[in-house]
Amino acid sequence: MKRLDHVAIDGPAASGKTTAARLVAHRLGFVYLDTGAMYRALAYLALVSETDLDNERALVRLSKAHPIRVELDQTAGGAQRIFAGDHELTDRLSSSAVTAVVSTVAAHPLVREAMVREQRRIADDAPVVMAGRDIGTVVLPQAPHKVFLTASVDARVQRRGAEMEAAGVDVSERRLREEIDERDRLDQSRATSPLRPAADAIVIDSTHLTADEVADRIASIVNSPSSG
Ligand code: DC
């Protein structure tokens, strides 16, 4: 892999990684990749095809039959688009049904292998700000800039609640808290590539920060002469 100027942003569910990645990428003129959307796309395919979520080989077959492809958008405010085969899934990936099963799908080593291969291919092409759970530890361990973004569970519940409300979805705070707790537990305890900060990651607690403030901090880490 070429050693490009990549930025890895990892952290738990709803810690603000995707927004931070998008803002930082825009400031630096990089592309951004939200890797969670790739796992969500496979979870969506598994649900609609009624594939057994514990059947690793069936999930890999599904991803081969409908290759998951990301179209990156470098324009200001542009968002990535996700396709499975020729079908665009971008707007289907934040549903509660997908969120409820995605950590189970993402725990399978062979599923991860396929996703990581595609993520590295994207990173080989251009400087990228990549957000996920294992970017600094597994996908791009040589990335010169690594951030681990955290926030209190309360703050994460509030943020996810506001997002759901904006999308017109009515979910109780108790349900959101349970969902975030459960995903944290599954993502941190899986055997392959569990969520944890890379040894050389800078930890940012975003509990009391706005999205712009988080992006400022990350951009200043990237631009600091001692970084990378
Ligand atoms: O960031 P997100 O909430 O969209 O991620 C959805 C799920 O995908 C998350 O619960 C765990 C999994 N995931 C992963 O295992 N590795 C990544 N690099 C990104 C996401």
Side-chain angles (χ1 to χ4, degrees):
M1 194 188 311
K2 284 175 259 169
R3 195 174 187 282
L4 294 174
D5 207 12
H6 299 311
V7 184
I9 305 180
D10 291 300
S15 58
K17 301 178 299 294
T18 307
T19 307
R22 190 185 307 138
L23 291 173
V24 171
H26 180 48
R27 288 178 197 195
L28 299 173
F30 291 12
V31 293
Y32 85 91
L33 175 65
D34 163 24
T35 58
M38 298 169 68
Y39 292 95
R40 285 174 179 269
L42 184 57
Y44 174 85
L45 289 176
L47 287 176
V48 294
S49 61
E50 298 185 7
T51 301
D52 176 0
L53 301 173
D54 294 320
N55 187 336
E56 181 171 27
R57 292 195 178 276
L59 290 169
V60 171
R61 272 200 302 277
L62 191 61
S63 74
K64 284 194 175 136
H66 308 275
I68 291 163
R69 190 167 55 77
V70 186
E71 246 181 50
L72 303 165
D73 185 333
Q74 297 189 56
T75 58
Q80 69 182 21
R81 297 170 71 191
I82 301 267
F83 297 80
D86 293 333
H87 296 284
E88 178 160 14
L89 302 183
T90 312
D91 294 334
R92 317 249 173 113
L93 305 180
S94 346
S95 72
S96 305
V98 168
T99 302
V101 301
V102 64
S103 289
T104 304
V105 168
H108 295 295
L110 294 177
V111 165
R112 302 198 67 80
E113 215 176 278
M115 299 291 182
V116 169
R117 203 177 309 123
E118 179 64 9
Q119 290 155 11
R120 288 186 178 148
R121 197 190 58 69
I122 291 170
D124 242 358
D125 278 351
V128 62
V129 182
M130 199 179 286
R133 303 290 190 289
D134 59 341
I135 311 305
T137 51
V138 175
V139 181
L140 304 174
Q142 309 297 332
H145 317 289
K146 297 182 187 174
V147 168
F148 193 82
L149 194 58
T150 62
S152 69
V153 174
D154 278 348
R156 293 191 280 135
V157 169
Q158 296 302 325
R159 286 177 196 164
R160 189 46 55 92
E163 269 169 32
M164 301 296 269
E165 201 180 311
V169 183
D170 188 24
V171 196
S172 75
E173 193 179 310
R174 189 175 57 81
R175 179 75 204 91
L176 279 176
R177 189 174 296 270
E178 282 169 5
E179 177 251 297
I180 283 178
D181 281 344
E182 177 64 359
R183 279 209 294 149
D184 283 355
R185 191 185 65 73
L186 289 171
D187 295 345
Q188 286 162 1
S189 65
R190 68 177 174 229
T192 307
S193 314
L195 168 67
R196 60 178 174 76
D200 51 349
I202 294 177
V203 178
I204 297 179
D205 183 342
S206 73
T207 305
H208 302 294
L209 300 177
T210 64
D212 273 312
E213 287 168 340
V214 172
D216 286 344
R217 290 203 186 184
I218 299 175
S220 71
I221 289 167
V222 174
N223 290 326
S224 117
S226 59
S227 180

